[in-house]
Amino acid sequence: PGARPGPVPKDFGPQLATLVDVAPRGPGWVHEIKLDGYRILAFVDGARVRLMSRNDKEWTPRFPEVVDALADLGVRAVIDGEVVAFGANGAGDFQALQNAMRAGAEATLAYFAFDLPWYEGVDLRGASLLDRKRLLERLVASAGASPTLFYSPHGEGEADEILKHACDRALEGLVSKRAEGRYVSRRTRDWVKVKCGRRQEFVVGGYSAPGGARVGFGSLLLGVYDGDALKVAGRVGTGFDDAALRHLLKRMKPLRRATPPFVDPPRGADARGVTWIEPKLVVEVEFLEWTREGSLRHPSFVALREDKDPREIRRERATPVEKVEASEPEAPVADSAPRTRRRGAPPASAVDAERPPGRPPAAPKTRSGERIDVAGVSLSNPDRVLFRDPQLTKLDVARYYVAVADRILPHVVNRPLAVVRCPEGEGKECFFQKHVTTSTPKAIASVKIEEKEGEIEDCLMIRDLEGLVALVQMGVLEIHPWGSRADDPELPDRIVFDLDPGPGVPWARMAEAARQVRDALGALGLAAFLKSTGGKGLHVVAPLKRKAGWDEVKEFSRGIALGMERADPGGFVSKMTKSRREGRIFVDYLRNGRGATSVAAWSTRARPGAQVSMPLRWDELTDEKADVDFDVARALERLRSRRADPWKDLEPEARPLTASMMKAVAAAARGS
């Protein structure tokens, strides 16, 4: 129904989605994963294939494997879909796609087909979405298994669950479509999108000079159009690798101009050293939120977007989903050619602000007493400032932990915890807590631990993301897990060596000390993993099979520390006495006693600067401390870069402590 004979539409354009605050929950909607790639309309005429970007540029030569896969269908069709590059986790990796297009880097590319507006002489735009998708699914299946061509499936269940699935896997979000909707070549409310994080395109209006050893440029000056006026939206100076810096500079140099393209350009010191350019480049940027002044907070570069028209770039504003659900579906297309958006004109609707993964949106500004739901936890006072410089609210910190949940949860769930609570924020009164009290949120579990006096106490423990965010609700700024798990607290599964520099110790010496601990453990057959502490020192962590008890593990770690002190008494000290630490590194093995804790990987620290304890690759350990210093913004930038987790093999590399290891360490400690 709704299909009719007809030629391929002329000047055919893609249907675009409207950004909404939450996904529609009513009947009559289907939900697809929002893909992180380039939108491509494929015009297939047997062996002849043309690939057109959403801004009507021909990109056929850029994706030869996609052309070949579509040509193998042997049909005449117009197919709507997305070209993506697969990352290491199996999800779309936009950076890998950019690298493949820009530098010819190897990448596994795929075309996900999600709509079929025209097929074998029949105009399907007036047919329902589900009918078009059923035909498309059969068409893709007819080609057999393909490493390049895929059908993009949909779900008809609970939108929030599908969105949570997408966000938990670092995907971009969700696109919801009316099941009976027609295909219309413009932005409509029959297709709506919800994003997992704040991310949109901006126009580049200038760049600053690089500082230090950086190549290319320092930061990009960003803007959005308001009518015909380009207004400043802030700067982005992080998220670039050297290749991106050089490529962008090469693209910007021919666009240089004498005057700013903005109607409200920065002035004075803010404009010093800025090179202005014609507003012809569009970049995609991730960020925490918009400030009240209309600038970006903690932006990070994602990609150059060659498929977006600069004149289309507006500040995105989310449409309330109630308006979408209450709107009438688009009417079937008329016999005449479809309405298309004029090139260079603004889109039919302007849209904004996103939301934390899988949950309803939070306004950047809340009324006194208002609560906001994050990961199932009701946050009170979400605007309370927990870090002053950079300024991060309770909501910011909660969103940080939601973003890094996959990385931090393996190190903190199902373990006894001690936490540092700062209810009024860093710099105000803070205190340790390890026991559950009557005011502890219900999302936080407990584990029974026998204390030194023989009493059984309920100690803090979390089981999931909800518990993690509940810690933020308590004002927790540091999370310190035991080195053992709640199911058997008496058997540790990791050893932690805390290297703490005394006055006068250069960072290069710290880096070398960490390598010495690694080598000492490696000589005994134990793997060593590295992380920054979010402070002055470093942690070297060895995973263990759960065989030895606390006394043995503490004695073993003490032996390593004594052996290092004996071998280099001028460089190391194994006791906390401050008078002996001048110019030496304290090898703190006391983290390995029963009841002792150490700060978790990816945990924030209750210190100025919103520092984070960050897992590191050994090749990242240099003679410059700045290379291992991570704050919340830089931690999120690392997460967005989708680098492999340096600690992903920590558990598989666990080995038991053996009698021969204990004997060797004891001999080294004695100097025999």
Side-chain angles (χ1 to χ4, degrees):
R4 68 182 193 281
V8 175
K10 294 182 179 180
D11 300 322
F12 182 77
Q15 183 160 348
L16 302 176
T18 296
L19 184 69
V20 292
D21 51 4
V22 295
R25 297 183 176 89
W29 294 87
V30 298
H31 312 284
E32 301 173 355
I33 296 298
K34 191 174 189 299
L35 300 168
D36 196 7
Y38 280 118
R39 180 79 173 275
I40 292 291
L41 281 172
F43 294 82
V44 184
D45 186 4
R48 295 176 55 204
V49 177
R50 286 190 304 127
L51 304 181
M52 305 299 293
S53 71
R54 55 167 283 170
N55 59 340
D56 203 31
K57 292 182 179 179
E58 181 158 359
W59 282 11
T60 308
R62 297 190 175 198
F63 305 120
E65 54 269 79
V66 175
V67 171
D68 291 344
L70 291 169
D72 286 344
L73 292 173
V75 299
R76 296 182 302 143
V78 177
I79 302 174
D80 195 354
E82 191 112 353
V83 173
V84 302
F86 288 123
N89 65 349
D93 186 335
F94 195 84
Q95 191 60 57
L97 180 58
Q98 287 258 298
N99 292 342
M101 292 176 61
R102 184 177 66 224
E106 290 189 7
T108 303
L109 300 186
Y111 183 66
F112 281 85
F114 51 69
D115 212 320
L116 186 64
W118 189 90
Y119 179 66
E120 292 291 0
V122 179
D123 188 339
L124 300 173
R125 291 172 296 160
S128 73
L129 171 70
L130 285 184
D131 283 340
R132 297 195 307 270
K133 291 203 70 172
R134 290 186 188 105
L135 181 57
L136 176 63
E137 184 175 16
R138 292 200 297 270
L139 173 60
V140 173
S142 70
S146 168
T148 305
L149 178 60
F150 296 90
Y151 169 74
S152 181
H154 60 269
E156 299 183 49
E158 179 57 48
D160 287 345
E161 287 300 312
I162 301 173
L163 180 62
K164 183 178 186 301
H165 172 88
C167 297
D168 286 348
R169 286 154 182 78
L171 302 176
E172 194 176 352
L174 196 67
V175 178
S176 300
K177 302 176 180 178
R178 291 190 193 271
E180 297 300 316
R182 277 53 177 167
Y183 194 100
V184 183
S185 294
R186 63 174 183 274
R187 194 176 302 279
T188 77
R189 292 183 178 183
D190 282 2
W191 288 16
V192 296
K193 59 187 177 183
V194 179
K195 297 182 182 180
C196 290
R198 295 173 182 265
R199 178 165 158 172
Q200 76 156 83
E201 292 80 27
F202 295 91
V203 180
V204 182
Y207 59 94
S208 65
R214 183 160 179 164
V215 301
F217 56 88
S219 63
L220 301 178
L221 276 73
L222 307 175
V224 291
Y225 276 99
D226 182 2
D228 292 329
L230 183 63
K231 294 187 174 181
V232 171
R235 300 180 183 227
V236 60
T238 61
F240 307 97
D241 58 20
D242 286 352
L245 289 167
R246 292 189 179 96
H247 178 72
L248 280 165
L249 183 62
K250 183 179 179 180
R251 295 291 301 272
M252 291 189 291
K253 279 185 174 179
L255 302 176
R256 288 178 292 190
R257 55 184 277 174
T259 59
F262 303 104
V263 296
D264 56 346
R267 303 189 183 280
D270 290 337
R272 191 171 300 131
V274 171
T275 299
W276 308 111
I277 67 170
E278 296 292 339
K280 296 185 180 298
L281 298 180
V282 175
V283 294
E284 190 167 358
V285 172
E286 290 181 314
F287 56 99
L288 282 180
E289 66 179 353
W290 290 92
T291 68
R292 296 175 186 178
E293 294 75 29
S295 295
L296 304 178
R297 289 188 61 194
H298 302 309
S300 179
F301 171 80
V302 175
L304 176 67
R305 296 301 304 242
E306 298 180 70
D307 59 333
K308 300 294 178 76
D309 185 338
R311 300 290 302 189
E312 295 181 8
I313 305 304
R314 303 291 194 266
R315 175 172 169 175
E316 294 186 340
R317 301 184 186 277
T319 298
V321 73
E322 293 83 0
K323 292 185 178 180
V324 168
E325 292 174 323
S327 64
E328 292 294 326
E330 290 286 339
V333 293
D335 290 337
S336 58
R339 290 173 289 172
T340 56
R341 180 171 43 80
R342 289 180 294 108
R343 193 174 297 215
S349 63
V351 284
D352 176 37
E354 290 83 353
R355 63 195 200 141
R359 296 292 167 186
K365 186 177 180 181
T366 58
R367 298 182 298 274
S368 176
E370 187 173 349
R371 304 177 75 94
I372 289 180
D373 181 80
V374 177
V377 176
S378 179
L379 286 185
S380 62
N381 302 308
D383 283 338
R384 176 171 290 161
V385 176
L386 295 186
F387 291 98
R388 291 172 294 172
D389 186 18
Q391 181 173 300
L392 295 175
T393 64
K394 182 188 284 190
L395 181 58
D396 291 332
V397 176
R399 285 177 169 171
Y400 164 75
Y401 279 118
V402 169
V404 304
D406 287 347
R407 298 292 177 92
I408 189 174
L409 286 176
H411 308 297
V412 296
V413 297
N414 299 324
R415 294 177 182 272
L417 300 177
V419 298
V420 177
R421 292 182 62 188
C422 306
E424 298 301 319
E426 171 270 318
K428 304 292 182 66
E429 181 181 0
C430 299
F431 54 91
F432 264 99
Q433 180 177 333
K434 63 178 182 178
H435 295 138
V436 172
T437 69
T438 56
S439 62
T440 301
K442 292 181 180 180
I444 295 175
S446 65
V447 54
K448 294 190 179 297
I449 299 290
E450 182 178 350
E451 304 284 0
K452 292 181 180 179
E453 299 79 13
E455 296 183 0
I456 304 296
E457 296 285 355
D458 288 324
C459 289
L460 296 168
M461 184 183 76
I462 63 172
R463 300 188 187 279
D464 49 27
L465 174 59
E466 189 175 1
L468 182 63
V469 177
L471 292 178
V472 180
Q473 166 60 16
M474 292 171 59
V476 169
L477 295 189
E478 293 188 12
I479 306 172
H480 294 248
W482 278 37
S484 64
R485 303 176 202 166
D487 62 339
D488 196 342
E490 305 308 321
L491 293 179
D493 65 348
R494 59 185 61 182
I495 305 174
V496 178
F497 293 92
D498 183 3
L499 302 179
D500 188 4
V505 175
W507 182 254
R509 181 70 190 94
M510 281 289 294
E512 180 57 31
R515 297 186 192 100
Q516 288 179 253
V517 176
R518 175 197 63 188
D519 294 345
L521 293 169
L524 296 167
L526 294 177
F529 292 80
L530 177 70
K531 72 179 177 75
S532 66
T533 64
K536 297 183 298 180
L538 292 167
H539 284 170
V540 180
V541 180
L544 295 177
K545 293 285 188 183
R546 298 196 291 176
K547 303 291 185 183
W550 283 111
D551 290 344
E552 293 168 281
V553 170
K554 184 176 180 181
E555 187 59 26
F556 175 85
S557 59
R558 176 176 177 272
I560 294 284
L562 288 173
M564 295 179 69
E565 183 180 30
R566 181 175 291 277
D568 185 4
F572 297 105
V573 61
S574 61
K575 294 184 179 180
M576 295 181 66
T577 310
K578 288 189 176 181
S579 60
R580 298 184 55 194
R581 293 173 61 182
E582 179 76 32
R584 296 183 176 91
I585 296 170
F586 173 38
V587 185
D588 184 359
Y589 65 89
L590 300 175
R591 305 284 178 181
N592 304 298
R594 185 183 186 277
T597 62
S598 57
V599 69
W602 293 88
S603 171
T604 56
R605 301 306 304 266
R607 300 171 179 172
Q611 296 294 300
V612 170
S613 178
M614 177 59 62
L616 303 165
R617 300 190 314 270
W618 282 101
D619 62 5
E620 293 181 283
L621 186 60
T622 70
D623 291 348
E624 298 296 330
K625 187 175 187 303
D627 290 341
V628 303
D629 282 342
F630 282 79
D631 60 7
V632 164
R634 191 178 175 200
L636 290 172
E637 178 186 329
R638 163 158 292 203
L639 190 72
R640 295 182 192 109
S641 72
R642 298 194 175 108
R643 294 183 186 177
D645 182 359
W647 280 27
K648 65 182 176 64
D649 293 327
L650 187 139
E651 189 169 338
E653 289 288 343
R655 301 290 183 270
L657 279 186
T658 64
S660 61
M661 290 179 188
M662 299 290 292
K663 185 176 180 180
V665 166
R670 294 193 304 268
S672 59

